[in-house]
Amino acid sequence: MGDVSHTSQSPLPSSGRVDVAARLRDALLGASFTVDGLLDLLGAPAYAALARSETVPALRATRGDTPLETLVRLFLLQQPVPHARVADVLPVEDCVEAGWLARVGGDEVAASVDIRPYGGSDGQDWFIVSDLGCAVGGAGGIGSRDEGVVLGVGGASTTLAGITVRTPVESALDLGTGSGIQALHAAQHATRVTATDLNPRALHITALTLALSGAPAADLREGSLFEPVADETYDLIVSNPPFVISPGARLTYRDGGMGGDDLCRTLVQQAGARLRDGGHAQFLANWQHVEGEDWQDRLRSWVPRGCDAWIVQREVQDVTQYAELWLRDAGDHRVDPAEYQARYDAWLDEFEARKVKSVGFGWITLRRTAAAQPSITVEEWPHSVEQPLGEAVRAHFERVDYLRAHDDAALLAGHFTLVAEVVQEQVGLPGAEDPEHVVLRQNRGMRRATKVDTVGAGFAGVCDGTLSAGRILDAIAQLVGEDPVLLRDRTPAQIRLLVEQGFIEPVG
């Protein structure tokens, strides 16, 4: 990577001066320029306002001259600061020489990039580098200024980081790395990390993010989709791609440049051949809901051969809501009204031509398998979940393996335990002798809820690993006066559902 900008944005710091990045990191940590330090200084309301690109509360909270206030004004608020004040906190001359700072207005210095503290895994203090004014994706209409900007950490970034399986692996690929947040996470549990991006500026900023966070350097490669890695294979592939379904490719950071949802489809279909046995590929994606077509069938058709898949639709927007969201993301609502209307029309023309009635957003996880019949689960779950979910994703596929290997007879011979923090709710009319139905609800992970009959509820309630499923059903049959053979015949489907959704788990 070179040390200059590849777009009209300001020049970037040198990615080769790791020594300066290390000294800068030490100075930032020494001044408590961390997530906790900012919360203490600014207070929760001002800190939250920064995530909305609103700076006035933070400006009011940093009127003093402490080292932390100086750093906040310099790197988060992009305010020029007197050279002498910065010299008390940072190795200012080295930072100017390496390009982290620039001299302005005679005796002042200003930041050349945004540096934002980020709470990493296991409580580590990391720093995410992005272009000035771009730490928060779209909130300020940044897209209208420069198509090559590199954004910091947004909600999509943290969602993907939270759902990613974090088992130790030999190799990981971050496709479309942006500011490098996924590569930074992967570096904590992967021996080798490769990061790609179509935008060379993003690769440069990823190198800065890794260096400033004290993480190992990644193998950085420029190019689109899987082109930079050819036929290399990985244990983990992650991507927060430019998934927005838009007319054209005006904004590099969000618009895929292919028609409709073709970019997401291509990414998913091509990932299978790049996964090693047992490896995971995890993506955020948008997909079209087309008139006369089942959206779940559309997504099933994306899954490559030899892969299990778990696809979760988290949100659906009609085409007008979707167009307005992304027009505002780019700041188009602030331009000439006639131009805004023309762009809005172009979005709706595109959707009308493709017979798209709405757009779904969610998560796609693939796992390479040697099973003769791969498992594909496509579901809608718009309810709240508990992040991080990486362990829940890993456990989902472990349960898939278990159920695939156990027929009903083997299931009845198995021993199970009720998962922690599952509660039972009984639903019915007040005063009724028996409930209309029973609901089991998880308080962790996906926080699922499922209806069961009284046998299913009773079965789950006594699962402590001691008795086999068959023995438990025999005891229940005796209690309710039912034929145990008939109960054994009709209950495995309910047991299978409880295992599949993570309410009970097999012992051993």
Side-chain angles (χ1 to χ4, degrees):
M1 291 298 299
D3 293 332
V4 296
S5 166
H6 294 272
T7 76
S8 62
Q9 293 291 312
S10 60
L12 293 173
S14 167
S15 59
R17 293 296 305 273
V18 179
D19 59 324
V20 177
R23 293 180 63 197
L24 176 56
R25 171 179 170 78
D26 289 343
L28 296 176
L29 293 175
S32 296
F33 188 70
T34 62
V35 171
D36 289 341
L38 292 184
L39 275 171
D40 288 342
L41 172 67
L42 303 177
Y47 187 73
L50 282 176
R52 303 189 299 270
S53 287
E54 296 290 349
T55 58
V56 172
L59 284 167
R60 291 171 61 87
T62 54
R63 292 169 173 168
D65 58 359
T66 67
L68 182 53
E69 287 170 292
T70 296
L71 294 177
V72 170
R73 295 183 74 86
L74 190 63
F75 289 118
L76 266 63
L77 304 177
Q78 279 94 58
Q79 300 291 307
V81 178
H83 182 286
R85 279 184 59 186
V86 179
D88 290 337
V89 189
L90 303 177
V92 64
E93 295 304 327
D94 286 343
C95 287
V96 169
E97 181 185 351
W100 291 97
L101 302 174
R103 297 184 185 277
V104 294
D107 65 345
E108 294 183 318
V109 294
S112 60
V113 288
D114 188 295
I115 298 175
R116 192 148 302 215
Y118 177 80
S121 58
D122 299 325
Q124 298 178 74
D125 290 310
W126 294 341
F127 299 99
I128 308 300
V129 180
S130 63
D131 274 313
L132 293 173
C134 299
V136 181
I142 62 172
S144 61
R145 294 213 305 267
D146 193 302
E147 66 174 20
V149 296
V150 179
L151 275 59
V153 177
S157 304
T158 54
T159 293
L160 179 59
I163 68 173
T164 300
V165 176
R166 296 295 175 197
T167 52
V169 294
E170 193 279 325
S171 62
L173 170 64
D174 175 14
L175 193 150
T177 187
S179 61
I181 177 60
Q182 309 305 331
L184 180 56
H185 275 284
Q188 311 309 306
H189 63 102
T191 304
R192 176 173 59 87
V193 176
T194 301
T196 71
D197 206 289
L198 184 64
N199 181 3
R201 187 176 182 87
L203 296 176
H204 192 136
I205 284 181
T206 290
L208 298 176
T209 290
L210 294 173
L212 195 58
S213 297
D219 178 4
L220 304 176
R221 305 186 193 182
E222 181 182 343
S224 177
L225 296 177
F226 289 100
E227 291 173 3
V229 300
D231 58 355
E232 295 175 35
T233 58
Y234 300 86
D235 302 298
L236 174 66
I237 299 172
V238 292
S239 183
N240 176 19
F243 52 66
V244 177
I245 300 171
S246 59
R250 184 162 60 105
L251 303 176
T252 305
Y253 72 86
R254 70 168 206 195
D255 298 325
M258 296 185 183
D261 52 16
D262 283 354
L263 182 134
C264 291
R265 175 185 56 78
T266 301
L267 180 61
V268 173
Q269 289 180 335
Q270 293 183 356
R274 273 79 177 190
L275 276 180
R276 296 177 180 174
D277 289 345
H280 296 85
Q282 299 187 259
F283 315 104
L284 300 186
N286 277 182
W287 43 79
Q288 299 172 148
H289 286 223
V290 179
E291 186 177 340
E293 177 185 88
D294 187 316
W295 68 271
Q296 294 186 337
D297 290 343
R298 181 182 192 86
L299 289 171
R300 287 189 183 95
S301 74
W302 291 9
V303 178
R305 287 184 179 181
C307 288
D308 293 323
W310 184 20
I311 302 173
V312 182
Q313 179 166 275
R314 296 286 290 157
E315 184 179 1
V316 181
Q317 291 185 317
D318 67 48
V319 292
T320 59
Q321 291 174 312
Y322 189 81
E324 290 162 15
L325 169 68
W326 294 110
L327 286 167
R328 288 182 175 275
D329 170 85
D332 291 332
H333 59 303
R334 297 173 179 169
V335 301
D336 177 70
E339 185 177 350
Y340 175 81
Q341 181 175 340
R343 287 179 174 170
Y344 200 151
D345 269 334
W347 282 76
L348 297 185
D349 285 345
E350 176 84 2
F351 285 134
E352 186 175 328
R354 295 179 176 276
K355 297 184 178 179
V356 176
K357 56 185 181 179
S358 55
V359 177
F361 167 82
W363 320 324
I364 297 177
T365 299
L366 307 177
R367 186 192 59 165
R368 191 76 186 173
T369 180
Q373 292 186 322
S375 165
I376 300 177
T377 300
V378 184
E379 63 175 319
E380 185 165 19
W381 189 254
H383 311 293
S384 65
V385 298
E386 183 189 48
Q387 286 275 34
L389 273 170
E391 177 58 22
V393 174
R394 186 204 62 77
H396 167 87
F397 290 104
E398 192 172 79
R399 294 193 298 270
V400 164
D401 285 341
Y402 177 85
L403 292 172
R404 192 158 42 201
H406 290 72
D407 60 16
D408 286 356
L411 209 61
L412 291 173
H415 293 240
F416 301 91
T417 58
L418 185 67
V419 172
E421 296 194 43
V422 171
V423 297
Q424 175 180 307
E425 300 172 359
Q426 296 189 169
V427 181
L429 293 174
E433 184 176 343
D434 296 311
E436 292 180 17
H437 58 262
V438 177
V439 174
L440 298 182
R441 187 178 301 278
Q442 301 167 349
N443 285 321
R444 305 298 297 273
M446 290 292 287
R447 292 178 173 163
R448 294 188 185 277
T450 190
K451 287 183 183 180
V452 293
D453 60 21
T454 53
V455 170
F459 176 85
V462 298
C463 278
D464 62 2
T466 304
L467 299 176
S468 69
R471 292 282 300 278
I472 292 173
L473 291 180
D474 291 344
I476 292 175
Q478 187 173 3
L479 283 173
V480 299
E482 188 168 341
D483 185 333
V485 175
L486 293 178
L487 195 61
R488 280 175 173 253
D489 281 346
R490 70 177 176 84
T491 308
Q494 195 166 190
I495 297 174
R496 196 170 291 275
L497 178 66
L498 291 174
V499 173
E500 180 185 344
Q501 295 194 348
F503 287 92
I504 60 175
E505 56 190 8
V507 175

Short mmCIF file of all heavy atoms in Angstrom, two decimals, residues 137-164:
data_model
loop_
_atom_site.label_atom_id
_atom_site.label_comp_id
_atom_site.label_asym_id
_atom_site.label_seq_id
_atom_site.Cartn_x
_atom_site.Cartn_y
_atom_site.Cartn_z
N GLY A 137 -21.79 5.45 9.91
CA GLY A 137 -22.27 5.21 8.56
C GLY A 137 -23.54 5.97 8.22
O GLY A 137 -24.58 5.70 8.76
N GLY A 138 -23.43 6.89 7.29
CA GLY A 138 -24.60 7.49 6.70
C GLY A 138 -25.36 8.50 7.54
O GLY A 138 -26.19 9.22 7.00
N ALA A 139 -25.11 8.55 8.83
CA ALA A 139 -25.95 9.40 9.68
C ALA A 139 -25.87 10.86 9.28
O ALA A 139 -26.81 11.61 9.48
CB ALA A 139 -25.55 9.23 11.14
N GLY A 140 -24.76 11.26 8.70
CA GLY A 140 -24.64 12.66 8.29
C GLY A 140 -24.78 12.87 6.81
O GLY A 140 -24.42 13.91 6.29
N GLY A 141 -25.29 11.87 6.10
CA GLY A 141 -25.41 12.00 4.66
C GLY A 141 -24.06 12.08 3.99
O GLY A 141 -23.85 12.80 3.02
N ILE A 142 -23.11 11.30 4.47
CA ILE A 142 -21.73 11.42 3.98
C ILE A 142 -21.59 11.00 2.54
O ILE A 142 -20.68 11.44 1.85
CB ILE A 142 -20.78 10.56 4.85
CG1 ILE A 142 -21.17 9.10 4.76
CG2 ILE A 142 -20.78 11.03 6.27
CD1 ILE A 142 -20.18 8.19 5.40
N GLY A 143 -22.48 10.13 2.08
CA GLY A 143 -22.31 9.61 0.73
C GLY A 143 -22.36 10.67 -0.34
O GLY A 143 -21.84 10.49 -1.42
N SER A 144 -22.99 11.80 -0.06
CA SER A 144 -23.11 12.83 -1.07
C SER A 144 -21.80 13.55 -1.31
O SER A 144 -21.66 14.28 -2.28
CB SER A 144 -24.18 13.85 -0.63
OG SER A 144 -23.80 14.46 0.59
N ARG A 145 -20.81 13.34 -0.45
CA ARG A 145 -19.56 14.08 -0.57
C ARG A 145 -18.51 13.36 -1.40
O ARG A 145 -17.78 13.97 -2.15
CB ARG A 145 -19.00 14.37 0.83
CG ARG A 145 -19.86 15.30 1.64
CD ARG A 145 -19.00 16.16 2.54
NE ARG A 145 -18.13 15.38 3.40
CZ ARG A 145 -18.43 15.00 4.63
NH1 ARG A 145 -19.60 15.32 5.14
NH2 ARG A 145 -17.59 14.31 5.36
N ASP A 146 -18.40 12.06 -1.27
CA ASP A 146 -17.33 11.34 -1.96
C ASP A 146 -17.67 9.87 -2.00
O ASP A 146 -17.89 9.25 -0.96
CB ASP A 146 -15.99 11.55 -1.25
CG ASP A 146 -14.82 11.09 -2.12
OD1 ASP A 146 -14.81 9.91 -2.50
OD2 ASP A 146 -13.94 11.92 -2.39
N GLU A 147 -17.67 9.29 -3.19
CA GLU A 147 -18.07 7.89 -3.32
C GLU A 147 -17.03 6.94 -2.77
O GLU A 147 -17.32 5.78 -2.49
CB GLU A 147 -18.34 7.56 -4.79
CG GLU A 147 -17.10 7.62 -5.68
CD GLU A 147 -17.38 7.16 -7.09
OE1 GLU A 147 -18.55 7.14 -7.48
OE2 GLU A 147 -16.41 6.80 -7.78
N GLY A 148 -15.78 7.40 -2.57
CA GLY A 148 -14.73 6.50 -2.12
C GLY A 148 -14.47 6.53 -0.63
O GLY A 148 -13.47 5.98 -0.17
N VAL A 149 -15.34 7.18 0.14
CA VAL A 149 -15.10 7.29 1.57
C VAL A 149 -15.09 5.92 2.23
O VAL A 149 -15.74 4.98 1.77
CB VAL A 149 -16.14 8.19 2.26
CG1 VAL A 149 -16.04 9.61 1.75
CG2 VAL A 149 -17.55 7.63 2.09
N VAL A 150 -14.37 5.83 3.34
CA VAL A 150 -14.31 4.60 4.13
C VAL A 150 -14.96 4.89 5.47
O VAL A 150 -14.51 5.75 6.23
CB VAL A 150 -12.85 4.13 4.32
CG1 VAL A 150 -12.82 2.86 5.17
CG2 VAL A 150 -12.20 3.87 2.96
N LEU A 151 -16.04 4.15 5.74
CA LEU A 151 -16.81 4.36 6.95
C LEU A 151 -16.20 3.62 8.13
O LEU A 151 -15.46 2.66 7.96
CB LEU A 151 -18.24 3.87 6.75
CG LEU A 151 -19.25 4.82 6.12
CD1 LEU A 151 -18.81 5.27 4.74
CD2 LEU A 151 -20.62 4.16 6.04
N GLY A 152 -16.57 4.07 9.32
CA GLY A 152 -16.17 3.39 10.54
C GLY A 152 -17.15 2.28 10.90
O GLY A 152 -17.70 1.61 10.02
N VAL A 153 -17.39 2.11 12.17
CA VAL A 153 -18.24 1.02 12.65
C VAL A 153 -19.68 1.47 12.76
O VAL A 153 -19.99 2.41 13.48
CB VAL A 153 -17.74 0.51 14.02
CG1 VAL A 153 -18.67 -0.56 14.56
CG2 VAL A 153 -16.32 -0.03 13.90
N GLY A 154 -20.58 0.79 12.05
CA GLY A 154 -22.00 1.05 12.16
C GLY A 154 -22.72 -0.16 12.73
O GLY A 154 -22.10 -1.15 13.12
N GLY A 155 -24.03 -0.08 12.76
CA GLY A 155 -24.82 -1.18 13.30
C GLY A 155 -24.63 -2.48 12.56
O GLY A 155 -24.59 -3.56 13.17
N ALA A 156 -24.49 -2.41 11.22
CA ALA A 156 -24.28 -3.63 10.44
C ALA A 156 -22.95 -4.28 10.81
O ALA A 156 -22.86 -5.51 10.94
CB ALA A 156 -24.33 -3.32 8.95
N SER A 157 -21.92 -3.46 10.99
CA SER A 157 -20.59 -3.99 11.34
C SER A 157 -20.63 -4.75 12.66
O SER A 157 -20.08 -5.86 12.78
CB SER A 157 -19.57 -2.86 11.44
OG SER A 157 -19.50 -2.11 10.26
N THR A 158 -21.26 -4.15 13.67
CA THR A 158 -21.28 -4.80 14.98
C THR A 158 -22.19 -6.03 14.97
O THR A 158 -21.93 -7.00 15.68
CB THR A 158 -21.74 -3.82 16.07
OG1 THR A 158 -22.99 -3.24 15.70
CG2 THR A 158 -20.72 -2.70 16.23
N THR A 159 -23.26 -6.00 14.16
CA THR A 159 -24.13 -7.17 14.04
C THR A 159 -23.34 -8.35 13.49
O THR A 159 -23.40 -9.46 14.03
CB THR A 159 -25.33 -6.87 13.14
OG1 THR A 159 -26.16 -5.91 13.77
CG2 THR A 159 -26.14 -8.13 12.86
N LEU A 160 -22.62 -8.13 12.39
CA LEU A 160 -21.84 -9.22 11.80
C LEU A 160 -20.77 -9.72 12.77
O LEU A 160 -20.58 -10.94 12.92
CB LEU A 160 -21.20 -8.77 10.49
CG LEU A 160 -20.33 -9.81 9.78
CD1 LEU A 160 -21.15 -11.06 9.43
CD2 LEU A 160 -19.70 -9.21 8.51
N ALA A 161 -20.08 -8.80 13.43
CA ALA A 161 -19.06 -9.22 14.40
C ALA A 161 -19.68 -10.06 15.50
O ALA A 161 -19.07 -11.03 15.98
CB ALA A 161 -18.37 -7.98 14.99
N GLY A 162 -20.91 -9.73 15.91
CA GLY A 162 -21.55 -10.45 16.99
C GLY A 162 -22.02 -11.84 16.62
O GLY A 162 -22.02 -12.74 17.46
N ILE A 163 -22.42 -12.06 15.36
CA ILE A 163 -22.92 -13.38 14.97
C ILE A 163 -21.83 -14.30 14.48
O ILE A 163 -22.07 -15.49 14.26
CB ILE A 163 -24.02 -13.28 13.89
CG1 ILE A 163 -23.44 -12.78 12.56
CG2 ILE A 163 -25.18 -12.41 14.36
CD1 ILE A 163 -24.44 -12.83 11.41
N THR A 164 -20.61 -13.80 14.32
CA THR A 164 -19.54 -14.62 13.75
C THR A 164 -19.06 -15.69 14.73
O THR A 164 -18.85 -15.42 15.91
CB THR A 164 -18.34 -13.73 13.35
OG1 THR A 164 -18.78 -12.78 12.36
CG2 THR A 164 -17.21 -14.56 12.77
#
